[in-house]
Amino acid sequence: MIILNNQDFKVRNDAKTDIEDRGYTFGDGVYEVIRVYNGKFFMLDEHLQRLQFSLNEIAISYDVESEKLQERLEQLLEQNNVVDGAIYLQITRGIAARNHPYPKKSTPELYAYPIPVSRPLEAQQNGIGMTLVQDMRWLRCDIKSLNLLWNVMAKQKAHEQGYKEALFYRDENHVTEGSSSNFFGVKDGKVITHPANNYILNGITRIAILRLCEQLQIPVEERELTLAELEELDEAFIASTTSEVTPVVNIDEHKFNDGTIGEVTKRLQDGFEKLIQL
Ligand code: PMP
């Protein structure tokens, strides 16, 4: 495997990260997972914009454009012959003696490399189950930070109980997002999803779905869903780079649509399928 480390391409085993990289000591960095279909990046511009946003929010001085990151990522794809998969990319604040404040001098450290991702066709056909987990994360979930501990713990809880994904709720009453996905409900033909604010990550797939809804003239409400409303939904689905549009057929004991895939979800799945024919 060929990896991108800052400006350089290397073989995987030549990647040597320092023990004092702030990514390790503080989780001080940000990341992206970018899907590749048919040898081409899907929504790369949006990913790079979100990456720049995350970098700016935590004041890592790295300029995606002047570093010609897009060009390098295209080269990385070619060098690894990625056809159907994804690129994982992370940028940390770099190496510094362990002190909390941002170091006066440090050089951001970038790694990007292919990760195996294949389409979750079985889950898309049959749907998945979710379990509610309290959202105990910090209040800047809009930053795609390396700090994923509660996401990891929630996903583990879900898997241990036989569910594919955890659904976060906050303040005892409203749903935010999945542990690694955005959540959408459908009621009376309307798609309802949490507004893109500090409580959720504004998923790139979420953006694609909102555009699709506009094209397909499916009404959308960007607002909080309460736990009481969850039970009344006609349909539900999650969206992410790796799950695309995956129907949710039950949340804990509560089943939607008799455990079958709803009509609006199906239309969005079909629409998404067309988008990824790159
Ligand atoms: N929310 C969270 C918490 C996530 O980890 C992800 C996946 N990275 C998403 C939403 C979906 O984002 P995207 O569509 O960009 O993959």
Side-chain angles (χ1 to χ4, degrees):
M1 190 208 305
I2 304 294
I3 63 160
L4 174 64
N5 178 204
N6 303 320
Q7 320 269 10
D8 306 320
F9 293 96
K10 298 179 176 173
V11 293
R12 196 224 178 286
N13 287 346
D14 289 345
K16 300 278 180 273
T17 299
D18 194 276
I19 55 166
E20 288 190 309
D21 187 295
R22 287 175 62 104
Y24 285 110
T25 48
F26 295 115
D28 189 355
V30 297
Y31 78 105
E32 285 292 326
V33 178
I34 314 167
R35 194 69 168 80
V36 178
Y37 294 107
N38 201 19
K40 299 183 194 91
F41 282 115
F42 179 63
M43 297 181 75
L44 180 59
D45 288 349
E46 288 83 352
H47 279 283
L48 293 180
Q49 268 173 34
R50 183 173 66 184
L51 176 66
Q52 190 67 65
F53 167 80
S54 298
L55 288 163
N56 294 348
E57 290 304 294
I58 67 167
I60 289 182
S61 52
Y62 182 97
D63 185 64
V64 165
E65 208 160 310
S66 62
E67 295 286 342
K68 297 197 172 18
L69 184 57
Q70 175 159 351
E71 232 171 273
R72 291 200 168 81
L73 291 176
E74 306 277 5
Q75 288 165 6
L76 183 67
L77 271 199
E78 277 172 32
Q79 299 214 18
N80 287 287
N81 285 318
V82 182
V83 178
D84 185 27
I87 294 291
Y88 174 80
L89 178 158
Q90 70 167 46
I91 302 179
T92 67
R93 200 180 302 279
I95 302 162
R98 192 184 179 285
N99 274 314
H100 285 62
Y102 301 161
K104 288 218 170 60
K105 265 199 183 155
S106 65
T107 310
E109 184 80 3
L110 176 148
Y111 280 107
Y113 48 88
I115 52 173
V117 170
S118 53
R119 303 197 56 203
L121 297 175
E122 194 273 327
Q124 289 177 346
Q125 265 162 31
N126 301 324
I128 58 158
M130 298 181 93
T131 184
L132 283 165
V133 173
Q134 197 175 356
D135 196 345
M136 310 251 276
R137 298 173 302 165
W138 70 332
L139 295 173
R140 288 304 310 272
C141 300
D142 51 330
I143 299 173
K144 200 163 169 59
S145 124
L146 294 178
N147 293 268
L148 291 173
L149 202 46
W150 189 248
N151 306 60
V152 167
M153 289 167 77
K155 184 81 90 184
Q156 182 64 23
K157 262 181 208 283
H159 284 190
E160 279 170 8
Q161 292 169 40
Y163 297 101
K164 280 270 159 49
E165 175 63 310
L167 177 58
F168 285 138
Y169 68 94
R170 261 198 209 270
D171 305 334
E172 303 299 326
N173 66 6
H174 72 269
V175 168
T176 52
E177 61 181 340
S179 72
S180 64
S181 58
N182 290 114
F183 180 79
F184 298 74
V186 180
K187 181 69 185 167
D188 298 330
K190 264 190 211 150
V191 167
I192 308 162
T193 197
H194 198 285
N197 58 20
N198 61 307
Y199 291 108
I200 67 159
L201 182 77
N202 189 7
I204 303 303
T205 323
R206 177 185 183 280
I207 295 171
I209 286 166
L210 295 184
R211 286 180 193 158
L212 264 182
C213 286
E214 205 175 329
Q215 277 170 26
L216 300 173
Q217 299 186 325
I218 299 169
V220 174
E221 281 180 21
E222 287 182 77
R223 64 169 178 85
E224 287 174 0
L225 265 170
T226 65
L227 290 183
E229 279 180 299
L230 261 194
E231 307 236 330
E232 303 299 321
L233 290 176
D234 300 324
E235 307 173 28
F237 61 92
I238 56 163
S240 75
T241 295
T242 51
S243 62
E244 305 173 346
V245 181
T246 292
V248 176
V249 287
N250 65 295
I251 296 177
D252 294 307
E253 258 78 81
H254 182 82
K255 256 193 197 166
F256 297 105
N257 219 24
D258 285 331
T260 64
I261 297 166
E263 198 186 309
V264 174
T265 307
K266 191 81 194 60
R267 283 179 73 198
L268 289 168
Q269 281 186 309
D270 292 346
F272 195 81
E273 196 76 35
K274 293 196 184 102
L275 282 186
I276 62 175
Q277 304 302 319
L278 303 179

